[in-house]
């Protein structure tokens, strides 16, 4: 929450879109051009020092990070409908923890891929195939570290600001329900008049006035 009154857990969906885009790039680079073979071989190996774990790590992390971004975007849409204070706090705390987790995992992935690329032997790839894709995967892994770290920092700021605003208040209501929660106003005002005007009230007071006694009506 960047400004007071923000009611969604993620007021900058562009951060999630950026993180999702980076994840797609990493996944696509490794899945499409991350496996090569020597001219004398048929079986393909991972371009990162022929280490299958390196490619598997990049593909798995890229796909899971993208699904996580989609889940956070869905939470943005659903968050204004959450009426429970505890559930709203859990949603923001989950944003902080998961974003920090992905930042750490991309740091590990960047170090792992960069190390394996550095020790890759030239004879394993004499035609220099997939080099640009490998460097792109490493580069966007590095960018993903700061993207997820920034997302975690912004979520922490939202948590601190939300403690002093309507975000975590019991008086928080869905804006779409404001009209339904308006106080009911009786039709015609508080004073109701009899069909005969003010005389009905006067006659009633006169008929039951103790000072006048019982009045018998003649037929």
């Amino acid at each position: 929450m960047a400004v007071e009154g923000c009611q969604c857990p993620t007021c900058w969906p562009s951060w999630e879109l950026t993180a999702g885009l980076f994840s797609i790039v990493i996944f696509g680079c490794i899945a499409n051009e991350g496996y090569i073979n020597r001219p004398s071989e048929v079986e393909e190996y991972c371009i990162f020092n022929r280490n299958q774990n390196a490619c598997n790590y990049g593909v798995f992390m890229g796909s899971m990070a993208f699904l996580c971004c989609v889940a956070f975007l869905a939470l943005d849409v659903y968050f204004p409908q959450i009426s429970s204070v505890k559930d709203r706090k859990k949603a923001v705390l989950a944003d902080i923890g998961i974003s920090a987790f992905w930042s750490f995992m991309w740091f590990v992935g960047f170090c792992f891929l960069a190390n394996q690329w550095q020790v890759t032997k030239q004879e394993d790839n004499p035609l220099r195939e997939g080099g640009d894709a490998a460097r792109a995967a490493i580069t966007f892994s590095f960018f993903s570290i700061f993207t997820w770290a920034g997302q975690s920092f912004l979520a922490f700021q939202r948590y601190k600001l939300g403690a002093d605003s309507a975000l975590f208040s019991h008086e928080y209501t869905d804006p779409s329900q404001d009209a339904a929660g308006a106080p009911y106003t009786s039709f015609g005002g508080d004073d109701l008049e009899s069909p005969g005007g003010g005389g009905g009230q006067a006659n009633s007071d006169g008929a039951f006035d103790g000072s006048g006694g019982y009045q018998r009506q003649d037929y």
Side-chain angles (χ1 to χ4, degrees):
M1 182 173 60
V3 294
E4 184 176 358
C6 178
Q7 298 172 349
C8 64
T10 309
C11 295
W12 294 276
S14 59
W15 282 82
E16 294 173 354
L17 294 175
T18 302
L21 178 62
F22 289 172
S23 301
I24 294 176
V25 172
I26 297 170
F27 171 83
C29 289
I30 298 178
N32 293 331
E33 301 183 36
Y35 296 91
I36 59 174
N37 61 320
R38 296 176 180 176
S40 59
E41 296 177 344
V42 178
E43 185 178 359
E44 294 183 342
Y45 294 91
C46 179
I47 194 174
F48 295 98
N49 196 31
R50 299 170 69 92
N51 188 346
Q52 296 295 117
N53 292 330
C55 289
N56 293 337
Y57 186 92
V59 171
F60 176 79
M61 293 293 292
S63 58
M64 294 302 297
F66 174 76
L67 294 177
C68 186
C69 292
V70 174
F72 273 124
L73 290 175
L75 179 62
D76 293 344
V77 178
Y78 178 72
F79 189 84
Q81 303 177 11
I82 301 177
S83 58
S84 174
V85 176
K86 292 183 178 180
D87 291 341
R88 290 197 297 272
K89 286 184 177 181
K90 290 179 181 178
V92 178
L93 289 175
D95 193 358
I96 298 173
I98 295 176
S99 299
F101 169 79
W102 279 110
S103 178
F104 173 75
M105 294 303 293
W106 280 123
F107 173 76
V108 174
F110 166 74
C111 296
F112 185 31
L113 295 179
N115 175 262
Q116 292 300 306
W117 178 249
Q118 186 178 7
V119 298
T120 299
K121 300 177 182 179
Q122 184 176 357
E123 57 268 20
D124 292 336
N125 186 15
L127 301 179
R128 302 283 184 174
E129 296 177 347
D132 293 337
R135 285 186 288 269
I138 296 173
T139 301
F140 283 99
S141 297
F142 178 76
F143 291 157
S144 296
I145 299 173
F146 301 99
T147 302
W148 286 101
Q151 177 66 21
S152 180
F153 174 77
L154 295 178
F156 179 71
Q157 292 295 321
R158 287 191 297 272
Y159 180 80
K160 292 198 304 182
L161 294 176
D164 300 328
S165 67
L167 184 65
F168 297 147
S169 174
H170 289 281
E171 289 77 13
Y172 173 84
T173 57
D174 189 347
S176 62
Q177 299 178 356
D178 289 344
Y184 173 76
T185 303
S186 60
F187 176 77
D190 296 334
D191 296 334
L192 298 178
E193 297 182 358
S194 62
Q201 180 69 22
N203 293 336
S204 176
D205 294 341
F208 296 99
D209 188 2
S211 62
Y214 175 74
Q215 296 180 359
R216 187 172 64 87
Q217 298 181 359
D218 298 332
Y219 297 95

